Amino acid sequence: MVVTDAARLDVDHFVPLAEVYDSEQTPWSAARREAYANDQKSPDTLIAVSAASNRSRSDKDPAEWLPSDGSYHCTYAATWVGTKLHWHLAVDEAERQALLGLAEDRANTTVVYEPAP
């Protein structure tokens, strides 16, 4: 999909804030939550998406929602995992199974990340 009208775009968190809060291994400080919410150092934390896609996804994880473009699923899963690893976030079992299923389709995909400070 090509979007030519900026009004139809949202800047959103790749891993939604509600999912982050649910995935914290230990409760984050207000400063850490702010660091995630405003992270402009990583190209994967904040992304531009169509407003329609953003509304459709809401705060769902890959067990509950995937992009409509199936050719993007592998990249989506790798970016999701990299973001979770970067911020040291947990995955629940349904999310884990969905990600493993996506990984089976693209066994040669590499997840690259650096731990967040």
Side-chain angles (χ1 to χ4, degrees):
M1 167 195 289
V2 175
V3 178
T4 57
D5 178 4
R8 296 182 60 195
L9 289 174
D10 287 347
V11 173
D12 193 23
H13 296 90
F14 196 91
V15 174
L17 291 172
E19 173 67 21
V20 168
Y21 299 155
D22 290 344
S23 303
E24 295 171 3
Q25 306 251 0
T26 57
W28 283 3
S29 67
R32 182 128 176 112
R33 286 185 176 182
E34 183 178 343
Y36 178 80
N38 298 306
D39 181 12
Q40 294 181 26
K41 293 179 184 173
S42 169
D44 296 328
T45 303
L46 295 166
I47 59 168
V49 296
S50 72
S53 175
N54 192 22
R55 305 297 177 275
S56 169
R57 184 190 69 163
S58 183
D59 62 355
K60 298 175 181 114
D61 68 32
E64 304 164 310
W65 184 89
L66 289 170
S68 59
D69 182 354
S71 68
Y72 183 63
H73 288 182
C74 185
T75 300
Y76 185 84
T79 303
W80 184 275
V81 170
T83 301
K84 286 264 184 147
L85 290 169
H86 176 76
W87 288 97
H88 194 64
L89 296 167
V91 297
D92 63 36
E93 188 57 26
E95 180 183 359
R96 180 180 170 276
Q97 291 301 320
L99 292 166
L100 287 172
L102 291 167
E104 287 175 1
D105 294 338
R106 300 279 194 244
N108 61 344
T109 299
T110 302
V111 174
V112 179
Y113 75 98
E114 291 184 26

